[in-house]
Amino acid sequence: MIGWEYPPHITGGLAVASRGLARALGALGHTVYFVVPRVTGDEPRDPNVTVIGVNSKEIPLSPEELQQFLLDTMHLYGTSVYARPESLSEARELATKVLRGLPMNAMQSMAELQGGYGDRLYSEIQAFAEFVSRIAAHLSFDLIHAHDWMTYPAGLYAAHVSGKPLFAHVHATEYDRSGDHPNQYVYDLERHTFLNCQGVITVSNYTRSILISRYGVPADRVHPVYNAAEFDLQYQGEVQRPLREKIVLFLGRITFQKGPDYFVRAARKVIEEYGNVRFVMVGAGDMYHRMIEMAADLGIGRYFHYTGFLKRPDIDRIFRMSDLYVLPSVSEPFGISVLEAMVAGVPVIVSRQSGVSEVIDHCIKVNFWDVDEMAHHILRVLQDDGLHRQLADGGRSEALGLSWEESAKNIGNIYGKIVNGKKRI
């Protein structure tokens, strides 16, 4: 398996889903090598799952191979587009002399990738693909499973080197992230991968329909497999609420895709009728400051609280403080956070434009653009104790019935159409 992030360092649902599937596949007897740009040493250890990063202490490359990797990727970092060809050649010769004789750990520190989604993203994607293609020549595996577009170059390269089948797992498409104005490079990369791999796995039928209609992928090549969620069932105690008022929670990246502006507009309509409420927005993103300004312009800023990005333990606590969770996404391939809220006993209102709405019933579903309907249902849940209890109890039971084991079995069946028996992934 090839991924871009892995717990406990989580940016969004991708890391949670990656680990959930890897662990469940391992539990079913498959051998999983999960390759990421960078490991930190505190990744969870699961049976039959080995997490490998460019900076792992033990990687299946010789010193000579690692040196060659460094030389072949050095042009990706800090090289001017105006550099003379002879200057690049001179730099390579100098680098070769410097690297010669360096111990393995010293070269690995030079090769380390940061992962994440910063300014070097495209360079790191290319360097990561070079690394994965090299270790693919040494690992024994039956198929390649690449999670989302950042890993598709690595998956394609590894498939080319090894001759093994490639499965592309789609956790989100460029249309989810950018609407009708996609990044052409990302779109082209996604489409090329979908049309040239052996199978495509989507997290919902909602996403499957996007691949068929927007990317022209044949329907028989796209297989929906729903996500589950990671639940800390040991933590059942009460948490101290910092606010007396009812708490309505938004949790996710504060970007176009997640619909934060619709959340703020609905909040205004709620506040006009019900003042015993606070709206908490958890997350960061390019619309973060705009949402603060929007609430202030609407005259409801004092009803809002903004936490920025939170780590997993704090997210667990804030779920248990909340009276209602709202997912107003414009385009949500799945929505693992909805299941996390439900298992914490929090009623949920979800966008019909989401994958998770296909697998849950103990919730309220709205169109993301209908802020009147959204506000109406927020008021209902906050003011009707019976409805609140019904959604909370039913939702918790329903969410606990969705498991990564079932998702892994479904994926194993898809694998089985290509490779028989237990898999090394």
Side-chain angles (χ1 to χ4, degrees):
M1 273 190 168
I2 309 171
W4 198 251
E5 54 182 85
Y6 203 82
H9 302 282
I10 296 172
T11 300
L14 179 59
V16 175
S18 296
R19 192 271 175 122
L21 286 173
R23 181 176 64 178
L25 285 165
L28 292 175
H30 303 291
T31 299
V32 181
Y33 299 105
F34 202 102
V35 188
V36 291
R38 182 173 180 267
V39 296
T40 56
D42 53 356
E43 288 77 15
R45 298 187 178 186
D46 298 309
N48 297 324
V49 179
T50 302
V51 182
I52 303 171
V54 177
N55 63 324
S56 292
K57 290 183 179 179
E58 295 183 7
I59 57 174
L61 295 180
S62 68
E64 293 75 21
E65 289 171 317
L66 182 58
Q67 180 186 107
Q68 193 62 46
F69 165 72
L70 288 170
L71 292 171
D72 289 346
T73 57
M74 61 178 289
H75 68 283
L76 298 173
Y77 304 107
T79 302
S80 169
V81 294
Y82 300 107
R84 295 174 294 109
E86 58 267 29
S87 69
L88 296 178
S89 176
E90 292 167 2
R92 186 180 178 90
E93 290 179 12
L94 178 60
T96 302
K97 293 177 182 178
V98 171
L99 291 171
R100 188 178 297 124
L102 280 180
M104 194 76 169
N105 61 346
M107 285 194 289
Q108 280 186 274
S109 67
M110 298 172 67
E112 185 170 328
L113 303 179
Q114 295 303 309
Y117 305 91
D119 295 339
R120 291 170 49 183
L121 176 61
Y122 293 106
S123 295
E124 293 215 338
I125 287 171
Q126 188 173 343
F128 183 54
E130 292 279 355
F131 174 77
V132 172
S133 71
R134 283 165 167 78
I135 66 170
H138 293 275
L139 295 175
S140 177
F141 58 93
D142 300 297
L143 57 91
I144 303 158
H145 186 138
H147 291 277
D148 254 4
W149 74 272
M150 302 81 64
T151 70
Y152 292 165
L156 290 164
Y157 204 169
H160 173 73
V161 168
S162 66
K164 298 298 172 65
L166 169 64
F167 292 84
H169 202 134
V170 187
H171 298 266
T173 71
E174 183 59 14
Y175 281 101
D176 297 309
R177 292 180 290 267
S178 304
D180 290 329
H181 305 283
N183 178 313
Q184 195 62 43
Y185 166 78
V186 178
Y187 170 82
D188 289 344
L189 171 58
E190 288 177 329
R191 187 171 188 274
H192 175 78
T193 305
F194 301 154
L195 296 177
N196 288 278
C197 64
Q198 277 60 51
V200 183
I201 298 169
T202 63
V203 294
S204 62
N205 277 303
Y206 175 78
T207 302
R208 179 176 184 267
S209 68
I210 292 176
L211 264 64
I212 295 169
S213 62
R214 299 275 196 159
Y215 290 83
V217 184
D220 61 356
R221 293 172 55 84
V222 189
H223 311 279
V225 177
Y226 293 114
N227 286 333
E230 296 294 306
F231 306 127
D232 182 4
L233 298 179
Q234 303 303 314
Y235 183 71
Q236 301 291 345
E238 293 293 323
V239 294
Q240 184 176 356
R241 290 171 58 103
L243 302 169
R244 295 191 304 272
E245 297 85 358
K246 298 289 183 70
I247 296 175
V248 180
L249 178 66
F250 172 102
L251 186 147
R253 295 191 316 279
I254 302 181
T255 62
F256 159 82
Q257 179 190 351
K258 302 297 183 179
D261 45 338
Y262 296 99
F263 180 78
V264 175
R265 291 191 186 108
R268 181 189 187 186
K269 293 180 177 294
V270 170
I271 292 164
E272 288 173 352
E273 297 188 34
Y274 186 75
N276 186 38
V277 63
R278 292 292 183 269
F279 293 85
V280 177
M281 300 190 75
V282 176
D286 59 356
M287 292 179 68
Y288 180 84
H289 295 290
R290 198 186 318 170
M291 291 304 96
I292 296 174
E293 294 169 358
M294 182 178 179
D297 291 342
L298 293 174
I300 57 175
R302 68 187 183 92
Y303 291 90
F304 272 76
H305 300 266
Y306 309 90
T307 69
F309 180 81
L310 293 182
K311 293 184 178 180
R312 186 77 249 175
D314 293 323
I315 289 174
D316 292 341
R317 282 194 290 272
I318 206 161
F319 270 134
R320 296 181 184 278
M321 294 176 189
S322 300
D323 298 284
L324 175 63
Y325 177 61
V326 181
L327 180 90
S329 294
V330 173
S331 184
E332 185 66 56
F334 190 75
I336 287 176
S337 60
V338 172
L339 301 183
E340 294 172 337
M342 291 170 76
V343 83
V346 182
V348 298
I349 295 176
V350 302
S351 164
R352 289 192 178 97
Q353 291 69 42
S354 67
V356 71
S357 68
E358 299 171 15
V359 295
I360 58 174
D361 294 312
H362 290 83
C363 64
I364 295 173
K365 302 175 187 180
V366 299
N367 293 313
F368 73 86
W369 64 81
D370 195 338
V371 295
D372 290 320
E373 183 185 20
M374 195 183 303
H376 169 70
H377 288 303
I378 291 173
L379 285 165
R380 284 184 62 211
V381 176
L382 295 182
Q383 296 177 310
D384 186 335
D385 292 340
L387 175 61
H388 187 282
R389 186 165 49 253
Q390 177 186 344
L391 290 172
D393 295 344
R396 179 176 169 81
S397 297
E398 189 170 36
L400 291 174
L402 300 171
S403 71
W404 286 117
E405 180 182 5
E406 189 63 28
S407 302
K409 287 178 180 177
N410 291 334
I411 287 177
N413 290 335
I414 297 167
Y415 290 161
K417 297 176 181 178
I418 306 296
V419 183
N420 293 322
K422 298 298 182 184
K423 315 300 183 298
R424 292 163 295 178
I425 307 160

